[in-house]
Amino acid sequence: MSMKPDPGWWKTIFDDVYLLTDARSVCDQDITRREVDLICELLPIRSEHRVLDLCGGHGRHSLELCARGINHCTLLDYSQHLLDHARTSAAGFDYPMDFVRADARSTGLPAESFDHAFIMGNSLGYIQEPGSDSQILTEANRLLRLGGWLLVDVTDGAAVKESFNPIAWHEIGTDIVVCRERNLEEDTLYTREMVVSKEKGLIRDCNYCVRLYESHTLGALLEEVGFKEVDVHTDFSPHQRTGDYGFMNRRMLGVGHKL
Ligand SMILES: C[S@@+](CC[C@H](N)C(=O)[O-])C[C@H]1O[C@@H](n2cnc3c(N)ncnc32)[C@H](O)[C@@H]1O
């Protein structure tokens, strides 16, 4: 069976099933806290700063920043489902977050609205048209004030290629099994993902693909769209245990300054 996805796969996949299949990474509060420790280490965020959580999903990083007293966080994502999830969580804590549903390539937000922006959790490389990641980073650059910072956290393509695993599966609780079949073609990783509930049967069978970056290509992309003082930190592995965590272990963090 072909693993070539529908080009718009990223518009529909980020829902409750994603929150199950990726729960080990994106619903683990301890991992999110460590990722936010890194955000705070790499970006000079102060409590009065306006922060953009671009492609922020269900808002775990913004929520944790709010818990740390950063009160001007805007969560932007395409998935209405994940935004609704975030809105409910923020309301539960009375956090004053803003929510925007938009395509990160063209957000419609005013230029220079933020002091910092970050794109966490391997959220680049989904759109197959050439130049789409560059469009997202150009938009991030436009949204930052002069002197603002961008942080991009993506899987380390070199590490993925080195330990390429064509078949992986993991269980979630007693009911769910997630099976992934992968094919690597140059810098794109194609995946077929099947999610089976022992109780209900097959609940998802989908294909997706992600463009992989290595430290030099991520650095070059940040420079190409105009960021200065670009630095790429490799070797961020939030999972302590060995196992196949898809794109969510062996990550790298690219930082750029708008000057
Ligand atoms: C793997 S999730 C990570 C979410 C979040 N950053 C985290 O670490 O939990 C990727 C997210 O990127 C969003 N996304 C991908 N491409 C996007 C685009 N062009 N515009 C807006 N959101 C996008 C998806 O909707 C999804 O919520």
Side-chain angles (χ1 to χ4, degrees):
M1 182 167 166
S2 162
M3 276 190 241
K4 295 276 150 85
D6 176 295
W9 68 265
W10 59 277
K11 294 182 175 174
T12 54
I13 207 174
F14 293 102
D15 57 7
D16 270 341
V17 178
Y18 150 77
L19 289 177
L20 276 179
T21 58
D22 285 38
R24 296 177 303 170
S25 301
V26 301
C27 298
D28 180 322
Q29 191 55 31
D30 186 47
I31 286 181
T32 298
R33 275 195 211 104
R34 276 190 277 136
E35 291 176 1
V36 172
D37 287 347
L38 267 178
I39 294 174
C40 295
E41 213 175 284
L42 295 171
L43 303 179
I45 302 184
R46 294 202 305 263
S47 58
E48 70 277 16
H49 281 166
R50 300 152 303 164
V51 175
L52 175 62
D53 186 355
L54 196 54
C55 304
H58 66 302
R60 61 196 181 99
H61 299 103
S62 289
L63 290 162
E64 176 61 21
L65 282 170
C66 287
R68 297 181 188 198
I70 312 293
N71 283 322
H72 304 283
C73 291
T74 298
L75 173 67
L76 184 144
D77 202 273
Y78 191 84
S79 163
Q80 188 62 55
H81 188 87
L82 296 186
L83 285 171
D84 290 344
H85 198 287
R87 202 188 298 273
T88 305
S89 306
F93 293 108
D94 225 3
Y95 292 151
M97 273 166 64
D98 288 325
F99 303 89
V100 178
R101 179 171 189 236
D103 184 332
R105 289 174 292 179
S106 169
T107 63
L109 296 173
E112 305 197 5
S113 314
F114 298 96
D115 300 285
H116 305 282
F118 52 76
I119 304 175
M120 297 296 290
N122 197 56
S123 305
L124 267 195
Y126 294 179
I127 306 174
Q128 285 162 272
E129 289 128 64
S132 48
D133 292 338
S134 174
Q135 277 177 283
I136 293 177
L137 299 188
T138 300
E139 179 67 351
N141 189 291
R142 186 186 72 82
L143 293 173
L144 286 169
R145 67 154 165 91
L146 217 56
W149 291 87
L150 174 70
L151 169 60
V152 183
D153 155 38
V154 287
T155 202
D156 182 341
V160 169
K161 288 174 190 169
E162 195 184 284
S163 55
F164 178 65
N165 214 356
I167 302 278
W169 65 276
H170 67 274
E171 285 183 279
I172 297 162
T174 53
D175 184 44
I176 302 287
V177 185
V178 181
C179 309
R180 290 174 178 148
E181 186 186 353
R182 304 187 181 112
N183 188 24
L184 186 57
E185 283 180 29
E186 294 177 10
D187 284 325
T188 303
L189 186 60
Y190 293 89
T191 304
R192 178 182 179 195
E193 181 172 284
M194 278 174 288
V195 186
V196 179
S197 155
K198 291 175 194 163
E199 202 181 297
K200 299 184 192 131
L202 186 67
I203 57 173
R204 170 157 289 169
D205 184 355
C206 69
N207 291 352
Y208 54 86
C209 69
V210 174
R211 188 177 303 112
L212 299 174
Y213 287 95
E214 301 191 12
S215 56
H216 63 286
T217 51
L218 179 63
L221 186 63
L222 285 164
E223 279 169 0
E224 230 171 79
V225 302
F227 284 99
K228 307 287 183 215
E229 299 177 357
V230 169
D231 209 356
V232 179
H233 306 258
T234 50
D235 261 351
F236 171 51
S237 299
H239 292 281
Q240 310 293 319
R241 275 172 288 155
T242 51
D244 186 315
Y245 293 94
F247 298 111
M248 298 307 263
N249 220 4
R250 311 289 304 270
R251 282 155 48 194
M252 50 184 190
L253 299 143
V255 181
H257 201 182
K258 178 172 174 179
L259 291 173

